[in-house]
Amino acid sequence: MARDAPPRWDRRMQQRLARGEAAALGELYDRFAALVHSQAHRMLDDEDAADQVTREVFGYVWENPDAYDPKHGSMRSWVARLTHRRSVQRLRSEHGADHGTDADARAADLEHRVLKATAAARADYIVASMPASLRAALELAYVQRRDYRQAAADLGVTGDEARRRLRLGLQLLSTANTRPSADSAPPGYGPTP
């Protein structure tokens, strides 16, 4: 899976893209298109706009493979950050032409949507990057609606261990709603340029 891709894969992919290997772009697209499209759709709430952002992100990656720096994080986090940035730009440009008495209300609504979408993207990243044992416990409890005893049985661990995993997973997820400082980067990808 993409979230388990080793850094070596990221470096090789960047090198292949830099050489202009169309097959590398296809492989990258197969691996990350669902991530890009779902993140853009969540932020924009528009299927056509999400399709457009997906094309723009992969076009940017194809034209600028050297913009990725493996020292700052995984290829997945870079692509997710590009998606977030492009989606925010699209939201702001759609609302940038607003003038008049309701402009302040629309601007506030826009910022609320951007912050909400950013928190959702951060939550996605946190879940994708947390240890598999925590992710499995959260999935059992919150997707499959199992209580901690049932989750423990499914995971083959004690009830105390299942509760510990759920607590740690939820603690990690709770950080998704914290508002990062203006100059900080999303988790997993270096400083903001």
Side-chain angles (χ1 to χ4, degrees), residues 129-145:
S129 61
M130 72 176 45
S133 60
L134 300 182
R135 195 170 45 248
L138 287 174
E139 180 179 335
L140 287 169
Y142 294 99
V143 176
Q144 298 180 22
R145 311 299 283 168

Side-chain angles (χ1 to χ4, degrees), residues 9 12-13 15-17 20-29 62:
W9 181 90
R12 279 196 317 244
M13 177 56 66
Q15 292 165 352
R16 291 174 61 203
L17 289 167
E21 288 184 32
L25 182 63
E27 184 180 331
L28 189 78
Y29 183 87
W62 177 248

Side-chain angles (χ1 to χ4, degrees), residues 20-146:
E21 288 184 32
L25 182 63
E27 184 180 331
L28 189 78
Y29 183 87
D30 290 345
R31 189 170 274 214
F32 297 128
L35 165 77
V36 171
H37 190 273
S38 66
Q39 182 179 347
H41 190 270
R42 176 179 286 143
M43 293 182 74
L44 302 169
D45 196 28
D46 179 338
E47 188 71 27
D48 292 334
D51 290 343
Q52 182 64 32
V53 166
T54 302
R55 287 190 295 275
E56 290 170 0
V57 166
F58 285 100
Y60 178 85
V61 169
W62 177 248
E63 293 171 4
N64 302 286
D66 293 331
Y68 168 66
D69 186 351
K71 294 176 192 163
H72 290 151
S74 69
M75 180 76 71
R76 175 186 169 82
S77 63
W78 180 61
V79 169
R81 184 172 184 197
L82 292 173
T83 304
H84 180 263
R85 188 178 300 145
R86 183 63 196 122
S87 297
V88 168
Q89 288 171 347
R90 180 174 284 273
L91 276 174
R92 289 192 170 133
S93 69
E94 288 172 2
H95 290 81
D98 291 340
H99 299 295
T101 58
D102 292 331
D104 289 338
R106 284 191 291 266
D109 179 56
L110 171 63
E111 278 310 305
H112 176 72
R113 284 181 64 192
V114 167
L115 289 173
K116 186 176 174 183
T118 299
R122 285 176 51 86
D124 287 346
Y125 179 82
I126 290 166
V127 169
S129 61
M130 72 176 45
S133 60
L134 300 182
R135 195 170 45 248
L138 287 174
E139 180 179 335
L140 287 169
Y142 294 99
V143 176
Q144 298 180 22
R145 311 299 283 168
R146 302 249 180 21

